[in-house]
Every structure is written in C-alpha cells, then in structure tokens.
Amino acid sequence: MIFWKLFYTFCKIGIFNFGGGYAMIALIQNEVVEKNGWMTMAEFTDIVATSQITPGPIGINVATYAGYTSVVNAGYDPLWGVVGAFLASFSVILLPFLLMLIVSRFLLKFKNHPMVKTVLSVLKLTVVGLIAAAAVLLVSPDTFGTFSESPLQLFLSIGLFATAFFASLKWKTNPILLIVLAGVIGFVVYYGIG
Amino acid sequence: MVSLLQLFWSFFKIGTFTLGGGYAMIPLMEKELVDRHHWLTGEEFMDIIALSQTMPGIFAANMAVHVGWRLRGVPGAVFSIIGNILVPILIILALAMGLHYLQGNAVVEAIFKGVRPVVVALIAAPVFRMAKTAKISRYNFWIPVMAALLIWLLGISPIWVILAAGTGGFIYGKYLEKKEVQP
C-alpha cells in the first residue's frame, strides 16, 4: 500500500533531517529514487528544480511534489496523487512538530547544552558527506544525457553544470536565476535548434 | 493577546512571499515578528533561529511552530505552521499536476534538459560552502568522506549514517571530549 509507505518514509525523512533543505533533498532522493524506485533520477531532478523556483520551504515543496509523483507513477488517479501530496507534506512535518512542542519548553537550556553542541557538530560534518553523495549520485545519463545519444547534450550539460557550480560558489548567484537561465538555454538549443 | 488569525496571517505572508527556501524567510520573519508586532525581542528571535536550526525537520516550519506555541500554545503552533506552508503547497501541487499532464511535451522536456545539470550543480555547491561552516579540519575530514562513501558506494541509507554519527557524537562527548579539555 503506497500511502502507508509514503507516510512512513516521509516521517523518517522529517525526523532525520539535520542541516536544512539540501540535506533533505539528499534524504528524499535516497528514499524515493534509490530505495523505493518511485520515480526516475530525471523526474526527481525536475522536482527539485521546480521546488526551488516557487515560494516556500524547499523541503516542503519537494515532499509535496514527490508525494504526488510517487502516487501517480504507481498507477493511481491524479486525485489520489493530491492525497499523496498532502500526505507527504503532512508526514514530513509531523514528528519535528511534536518534538518542537516538547523541546520548546526548555529552549535555552537545550540549545546551549555542551552535549547537544558536540552531537550537532558531528552531525553537521556528516551532512556534508550526505549531500556530496546525493550530488554524485545525481550525475547520471538521466540528468546529463549520453555521448552515444547526443554528444551536443552531454557537452552542453557539462558546460551548464560547471558554469552554475562556479557561479553559485564564487558569486553566490541566485539559484532561481540560474535555473531560469538554464531553462531558456534548454528551450533555445533543444527545441529551437534541435 | 495575539489572535490565532493574526498568527496565521503573519506566517501566511512570510511563507507566500519568500522565494528561495526557509533561510530566505529570516528577514521577513524579523520584520513581521520583531519590528512590526513586537511579539519577540531581537535576542529572542536569534535564540529561536538557533533552536530551529538545531532541531530536526524543516527550518521555517520549526520557527513557525515555536513562535506560534510561545504566543498561543498548541493551537497557535498549528495555525502558524499551516499559514506558513499553505500557499507554497498549493502552488507546487498545481505545478506538479500541470507538469505531469504535460509529460512528454517537447517544450517542457527541452527546458528541463537544460535545467537538470544546473540542479546537480546547485546541490554540489553547498557541499563546499557547508564544509567551511561545519569546520572541517585534517582531524575530522574522514567523517564526511566516510559518510559519502558509505552512501554512494555501499548504498547504505543516509538515515543509518545519521544515526551512527549521532551515536558516535554522543559517545565522544560523554567519554572522550572532557579528557581532552582537562589534561
């Protein structure tokens, strides 16, 4: 039953997410693409792109969209997809919500506790590796194309990747701008010319 | 007393009018909660940011839950979080349905073909940014490297890796760290 699995999976993703939106993208990718096979790598990448250019927390956006896609891909009606979307976003906030209510009572003591600080510093380091793994796993024929199918797409993909990587790291270019520009380039090259 | 509708409306504005994820909401949150309504002092606001980053889950949602709870208890938390994510969920859902309907459309496919490698770059770049804030040194660089290799090469779930790291951090803090501080 995909709805139960969706609930359980997104509860897990919510409570184990330390380290913000990108860490959550890494967790969701692992669960919905690698582990459960609910969607392809390309579909997942499209979800992340769309989630970054719309308002709201990226984690919520990715969860909602991924919930919809997982259910529709499993052969259900789009209306059930809507149920999946709400279920995924509900599940992803459920446990952190409850935990937050409990911990809020001890706000200051908790966040300055030396043990909490030590555990968090180790978790921060781990999350860097987690996101790195997600990035490496996302480099695939699904996202970059292949040489045999279209050398043009492969080379353009590598060029776009390098440019966006450099711009994001060196100049802190707005991700929304990068995604929109890449979309325009994709449209012109693959639809206009190709 | 702050009304539930007021809380809902404030977080509604914060969630609806911010592009770029949870951290991009901080300036608007400060304007609404500290400057405009004086629900929190600047210092309280900074403390709540630190707490929301510490706790698992989604940063903006954690902020909404804590502020709502602080002002109006559990109902306040519920109204704040729903206000914060309602419009974003509806927008992304509409896009999900539209794009799914257009699946296989040549224009959409061409656009995403261009976008996909950029998304990979946008996920790769924070690795290097976060490496700085996580204070990676020659003594601890093995932690992220091992985490990445376990997930990438052995296919171990990131959740197990996080659990192991949390347990390791706890043991280190309890038994090893003190000895180093007091030689």
Side-chain angles (χ1 to χ4, degrees), chain B residues 155-178:
Chain B
I156 290 173
S157 163
I159 287 170
W160 287 114
V161 175
I162 287 175
L163 266 178
T167 314
F170 181 79
I171 293 169
Y172 175 78
K174 194 157 175 93
Y175 301 108
L176 303 169
E177 199 175 37
K178 276 177 200 156

Side-chain angles (χ1 to χ4, degrees), chain A residues 12-22 24-27 30-31 35 42-43 45-61 64-65 68-69 72-73 78 81-82 85-86 89 92-93 96-97 99-101 103-105 107-108 110-111 114-116 118-139 142-144 153 156-158 160-161 164-165 168-169 172 175-176 178-179 182-184 186-187 190-191, chain B residues 15-23 25 44 46-48 50-63 65-66 69-70 73-74 77-78 81 84-93 95-100 103 106-107 109-131 133-137 140-141 143-145 147-149 151-152 155-159 161-163 165-174 177:
Chain A
K12 251 191 340 193
I13 291 168
I15 200 69
F16 285 106
N17 181 52
F18 294 88
Y22 287 101
M24 186 165 272
I25 289 172
L27 285 179
N30 187 270
E31 287 288 335
K35 220 166 130 191
E43 279 178 300
T45 318
D46 298 351
I47 287 175
V48 174
T50 315
S51 298
Q52 284 189 310
I53 57 171
T54 62
I58 288 166
I60 291 277
N61 292 346
T64 309
Y65 197 157
Y68 179 85
T69 305
V72 173
N73 279 355
V82 174
F86 280 110
S89 39
V92 89
I93 56 176
F97 175 88
L99 193 64
M100 202 63 197
L101 285 181
V103 170
S104 283
R105 287 152 217 268
L107 166 65
L108 292 168
F110 178 79
K111 84 168 174 51
M115 181 58 90
V116 172
T118 307
V119 171
L120 274 176
S121 64
V122 177
L123 284 178
K124 259 190 194 166
L125 286 163
T126 313
V127 162
V128 173
L130 207 135
I131 301 173
V136 173
L137 285 167
L138 277 171
V139 179
D142 253 12
T143 48
F144 278 68
Q153 191 196 344
L156 182 62
S157 292
I158 293 170
L160 284 168
F161 171 85
F165 182 78
S168 172
L169 214 53
K172 298 193 171 82
I176 300 170
L178 291 173
I179 290 174
V184 172
F187 174 74
Y190 300 122
Y191 188 77
Chain B
T16 307
F17 298 114
T18 319
L19 284 170
Y23 288 101
M25 289 182 195
E44 285 170 330
M46 297 308 286
D47 279 346
I48 298 171
L51 177 77
S52 301
Q53 286 179 306
T54 306
M55 299 295 289
I58 289 160
F59 170 73
N62 287 350
M63 290 288 288
V65 171
H66 180 84
W69 171 82
R70 201 178 173 109
V74 176
V78 174
I81 196 170
N84 194 229
I85 61 177
L86 183 65
V87 172
I89 285 183
L90 294 178
I91 291 176
I92 198 78
L93 186 54
L95 276 169
M97 297 179 84
L99 288 173
H100 216 272
Q103 215 175 27
V107 176
E109 187 51 32
I111 291 172
F112 276 119
K113 257 192 202 172
V115 169
R116 280 169 203 151
V118 168
V119 172
V120 181
L122 288 173
I123 295 174
V127 173
F128 295 88
R129 270 200 302 273
M130 287 170 80
T133 52
K135 299 194 183 88
I136 288 188
S137 68
N140 62 23
F141 78 96
I143 297 176
V145 169
L149 291 178
I151 298 166
W152 176 40
I156 290 173
S157 163
I159 287 170
V161 175
I162 287 175
L163 266 178
T167 314
F170 181 79
I171 293 169
Y172 175 78
K174 194 157 175 93
E177 199 175 37

